[in-house]
Amino acid sequence: MINLLADASMPALAQLVRTCQQAGMALQLETFSGRQPDASQLARAQVLLIRSITQVTKELLDQAPHVCWIGTATIGTEHVDAAACEARGIAFVSTPGVNAQAVGDYVASAVAALTLAQDAPLTGPVAIIGGGHTGQAAGARLQGLGYKVHCYDPPLVAQGINQRDGMPIHGNWQQVLTSAAISCHVPLTRSGPFATYHLLDDASIAQLPANCVLINASRGPVVAESALRAAANRQQPLRVVLDVWEHEPQIATDLLPWLSLATMHIAGHSMAGKVAGTLQLLQQLLSWLPSSELAQASGTAMPVHELPDLIDLLQAWPTSVQPQLWQANEAPDWRTLASWVLAIYDIRQDDLALRQQPAKPAAFDQLRRGYAHRPELSVGQVQGGSWLATEEWRKRLKQLTFQFK
Ligand SMILES: O=C(O)[C@H](O)[C@H](O)COP(=O)(O)O
C-alpha cells in the first residue's frame, strides 16, 4: 500500500485516486488543510502532493523519512528545496504551464477593467516580462484585445530566440520601462545573471510613464513593495495590479487604497487550471511508479491513458464549462471586447472580496481556499456577420481563446 499525502484543495484528486484504486492499485489518500502537513502525517507519507503554499524544506523532509516522490500542482517551484530533494533521492516534479490560460485571462480581465474604468484603451505598446507559458498566454490575450505586445526575456535572447507567437523577444529593459502596460511572468530567482528578485525596484518604478499599468501575477518579490510604497508616497500616477505579495500570506494593507486592483494570488485559479494541475500530477506519478522502489507496494500498475481526461473531470463543475454566447453583427470595438472578457471573468469581484476581508494571513488563505469555480475565456462563443470571416479577426478571437462560427 502506498500512502499519498495531499493538500486538501486539489480538486478531482479523490476521483482520480478512486479510479486508480478501482483498477487494482493499492493507494491510500490522506489530506491536510492549511499550509503545512503535521508531523504524524509526514511520518506516514510516501508520496506528497502539494500546491504553492507548502514549503518543502530540509526540516520538512527530516520529518518525512519515507517520502520518495513530491509533486507540486503549480507552475512556480521556489517553495520546494529541489536540491535537498535530490540529495535524498526524492523525485520532484511540477506542472509547467498548467494554469497559464487562467493567468492570461487574469491579465486580460485586469486590462479590460482598467480601460473601461478610464473609458480609454491603452495608448501604447504592452511589455510582457518573461516569455514562458503564462507570458505567452498573457501576450496573446492582449494582442487579441488589439494591443501591440513585446516581450522582455534576456534568457531567451541568450538562446537565440527572438520571436514567439507574434511577440518580438528582446533584452532591452528601457523598452519595458517606456511601455503603456507591463505584465510580469517570471519565476522567482534570487541569484544568477537573470535573477528576478526585485526586478522592478525603486529606480525602475520611478521611471514608469504616467498612467502606466503594472501587473504582477508571477511572484510577490519580483516587484519590490518598498518601491511601490515610495511611488504611492510621491503620488506617482500609476495603475498597479497585484495578485501576488512580497510577504504572503500577509498582504501590504497600507498599499490597498493606492492599488488599482488587488487580489489574493488567484490569477491561476480557474477550475480548469486547478483540475489540470491535479491530473498532470497523477499522470506523472503513474508514469514514474513502475520504475520505482514503490512499484511492488502499489500493486497493479494502471496505464496513464486510463485516467479520465480533463473534459470529463470538469463535468463535476458545470459552471466552469458552460458556454457564454455573443451575437455581434459588426466587429467589436475595444469596449465590447473588454465587456466580453469581464462577462466571463470579472477581476473586480476578486478585488472587492479581498478589500472586504480584514487583511490577516488567515483571511487571505481562507479566501483562496473558498475561491469560486472560475471558468476560462475559452467558454466564450461569438456568432456574427462577415467580419468573423476575416483573417485578422479569426486570429484575434483565437488569441482571446473565444470560439467562433
Ligand atoms: O505557480 C502557480 O502555478 C500558481 O502561483 C498557483 O496558481 C498558485 O496557487 P496555489 O498552488 O497556491 O493554489
Side-chain angles (χ1 to χ4, degrees):
M1 181 69 75
I2 299 183
N3 290 319
L4 304 187
L5 175 59
D7 184 316
S9 41
M10 278 198 179
L13 182 60
Q15 185 186 338
L16 288 164
V17 170
R18 229 179 1 258
T19 306
C20 296
Q21 289 165 337
Q22 282 159 0
M25 290 189 74
L27 299 181
Q28 187 163 285
L29 177 63
E30 186 175 356
T31 58
F32 66 94
S33 24
R35 297 199 154 233
Q36 300 296 112
D38 67 38
S40 63
Q41 292 180 311
L42 286 169
R44 287 189 289 273
Q46 284 149 312
V47 166
L48 183 58
L49 306 173
I50 56 169
R51 297 196 56 92
S52 77
I53 56 173
T54 300
Q55 297 292 324
V56 176
T57 57
K58 290 188 186 78
E59 293 69 35
L60 178 140
L61 296 176
D62 286 342
Q63 294 178 287
H66 307 298
V67 164
C68 40
W69 195 89
I70 298 178
T72 181
T74 58
I75 294 179
T77 56
E78 78 290 342
H79 52 293
V80 176
D81 185 339
C85 291
E86 197 182 344
R88 293 166 199 231
I90 297 171
F92 167 56
V93 304
S94 63
T95 54
V98 84
N99 51 37
Q101 300 311 317
V103 176
D105 294 354
Y106 178 93
V107 171
S109 186
V111 169
L114 295 180
T115 50
L116 282 181
Q118 286 201 343
D119 199 22
L122 299 176
T123 51
V126 179
I128 297 290
I129 302 181
H133 294 106
T134 63
Q136 285 174 63
R141 297 300 180 281
L142 293 170
Q143 286 174 310
L145 287 176
Y147 299 111
K148 229 180 147 98
V149 179
H150 58 96
C151 174
Y152 172 83
D153 194 324
L156 285 184
V157 175
Q159 292 167 45
I161 299 170
N162 299 306
Q163 162 95 15
R164 230 173 217 185
D165 289 341
M167 276 196 301
I169 313 268
H170 64 88
N172 182 346
W173 188 238
Q174 281 309 311
Q175 196 182 337
V176 173
L177 299 183
T178 50
S179 302
I182 301 169
S183 193
C184 302
H185 301 280
V186 284
L188 175 61
T189 52
R190 291 174 192 270
S191 58
F194 305 118
T196 60
Y197 177 78
H198 284 190
L199 187 61
L200 272 297
D201 59 4
D202 201 20
S204 293
I205 287 176
Q207 289 182 55
L208 298 180
N211 216 21
C212 179
V213 171
L214 171 61
I215 302 172
N216 188 10
S218 59
R219 284 297 181 261
V222 170
V223 178
E225 266 173 22
S226 57
L228 293 178
R229 211 160 271 126
N233 287 338
R234 63 178 172 261
Q235 296 185 334
Q236 192 178 345
L238 298 175
R239 292 180 285 174
V240 178
V241 179
L242 290 189
D243 180 51
V244 286
W245 305 81
E246 196 165 344
H247 305 290
E248 280 179 35
Q250 181 61 61
I251 67 166
T253 44
D254 60 320
L255 283 177
L256 278 178
W258 181 73
L259 294 173
S260 294
L261 292 164
T263 55
M264 49 287 191
H265 195 158
I266 45 68
H269 278 199
S270 68
M271 188 45 68
K274 283 187 92 169
V275 173
T278 314
L279 176 60
Q280 216 190 92
L281 276 195
L282 260 282
Q283 288 167 337
Q284 296 193 62
L285 178 63
L286 288 190
S287 308
W288 170 84
L289 264 176
S291 61
S292 79
E293 63 196 52
L294 290 183
Q296 266 205 318
S298 71
T300 316
M302 190 179 101
V304 177
H305 69 260
E306 284 182 16
L307 284 173
D309 64 21
L310 184 59
I311 306 291
D312 285 343
L313 289 169
L314 285 174
Q315 300 312 314
W317 294 276
T319 52
S320 72
V321 283
Q322 209 166 340
Q324 174 104 18
L325 190 69
W326 298 290
Q327 180 69 36
N329 297 328
E330 284 171 18
D333 61 7
W334 70 269
R335 280 190 197 81
T336 305
L337 283 178
S339 70
W340 286 353
V341 168
L342 291 172
I344 297 175
Y345 169 46
D346 191 342
I347 189 175
R348 296 169 300 191
Q349 289 173 4
D350 289 339
D351 169 80
L352 196 64
L354 183 65
R355 289 176 199 268
Q356 280 171 347
Q357 287 280 345
K360 294 262 165 43
F364 181 85
D365 279 349
Q366 199 186 334
L367 276 175
R368 301 187 77 237
R369 259 200 309 277
Y371 192 67
H373 305 149
R374 184 176 114 202
E376 294 189 345
L377 294 191
S378 56
V379 300
Q381 294 185 5
V382 187
Q383 287 181 352
S386 55
W387 66 275
L388 263 177
T390 64
E391 206 178 304
E392 187 212 332
W393 272 107
R394 288 180 162 258
K395 185 171 167 196
R396 285 182 62 179
L397 293 176
K398 272 189 197 152
Q399 288 168 323
L400 287 164
T401 66
F402 293 153
Q403 297 160 54
F404 49 87
K405 290 199 185 122

